[in-house]
Amino acid sequence: MQVKDTNRNRRDFGVLACICLVLQVAVAPNIALGNGRANLGLVFAGIASLLVGGRLGVLCGFLAGFVFDLSTTGPIGLMSFLLTIASFVLGIEARNRMADDFAGSMRLFSWMTLGVSLFYHVAMLLVGDATSLIDVVFMRTVPTAILTIIAFTPFAYVISHETGSALSLGGKPSKSARSHGSRYDIGNL
């Protein structure tokens, strides 16, 4: 039986948001690949959207984008707009995708990261922050996507394989049920 504990869900997302915020402000600016830096706001929005989706995922995407906009020199509202759309697309089914299909979640997040990074850096080209389309695609978009996917992977792996947490919604059978068998476990037939 699964019990919906909204306070635990809020607390877990709050802790995850704080971790991503600290990493975005303190660590991400110091780790670069070309002109690209990891986007931990996108990581937080992706995790929230792939875990619960729906309104909460979209709200987390908007807030993560807004905080990202405040912490960078880019135009205010651009990343919040992009992450709101990305969170809507990632969480459209409003279910825990990471527990169901971890590899599929990674593929979906990777494509979404590439798209968000491309649109963000093309917009930065239009406002004069980048010099050319080659700089935007090869020196900013691809490195940003790679670093963001690398930053997303440990969070997603830990959360998707966690048991007993509000963030992982799925459960694994207890050790006694696995070792002694259960009449509801068809794997022991």
Side-chain angles (χ1 to χ4, degrees), residues 52-76:
V52 292
R55 291 180 181 157
L56 181 63
V58 172
L59 178 66
C60 288
F62 173 77
L63 293 175
F66 188 67
V67 169
F68 180 87
D69 286 336
L70 293 176
S71 68
T72 63
T73 59
I76 302 288

Side-chain angles (χ1 to χ4, degrees), residues 22-170:
V22 168
L23 290 174
Q24 179 66 46
V25 173
V27 177
N30 299 319
I31 299 173
L33 184 64
N35 290 334
R37 308 246 181 323
N39 183 348
L40 276 295
L42 182 55
V43 170
F44 175 69
I47 289 172
S49 298
L50 289 170
L51 281 177
V52 292
R55 291 180 181 157
L56 181 63
V58 172
L59 178 66
C60 288
F62 173 77
L63 293 175
F66 188 67
V67 169
F68 180 87
D69 286 336
L70 293 176
S71 68
T72 63
T73 59
I76 302 288
L78 178 60
M79 187 56 75
S80 58
F81 173 70
L82 291 172
L83 290 188
T84 301
I85 292 172
S87 295
F88 177 76
V89 171
L90 285 174
I92 201 161
E93 293 179 1
R95 66 180 175 97
N96 186 352
R97 283 185 160 185
M98 281 204 258
D100 295 341
D101 183 19
F102 179 71
S105 298
M106 286 298 296
R107 276 191 305 275
L108 188 60
F109 179 79
S110 299
W111 283 111
M112 195 59 62
T113 300
L114 193 61
V116 167
S117 297
L118 180 66
F119 281 118
Y120 183 78
H121 291 299
V122 166
M124 296 306 281
L125 175 69
L126 295 176
V127 297
D129 190 42
T131 57
S132 69
L133 193 60
I134 293 172
D135 176 47
V136 164
V137 174
F138 295 109
M139 296 302 291
R140 294 175 190 253
T141 299
V142 173
T144 297
I146 290 170
L147 289 173
T148 303
I149 293 166
I150 289 170
F152 176 78
T153 303
F155 286 108
Y157 183 79
V158 168
I159 289 171
S160 69
H161 289 83
E162 230 177 40
T163 57
S165 170
L167 287 177
S168 72
L169 297 182

Side-chain angles (χ1 to χ4, degrees), residues 173-189:
S174 65
K175 184 177 180 180
S176 62
R178 283 183 299 206
S179 63
H180 298 295
S182 170
R183 67 181 194 194
Y184 300 112
D185 187 6
I186 61 173
N188 292 333
L189 287 177

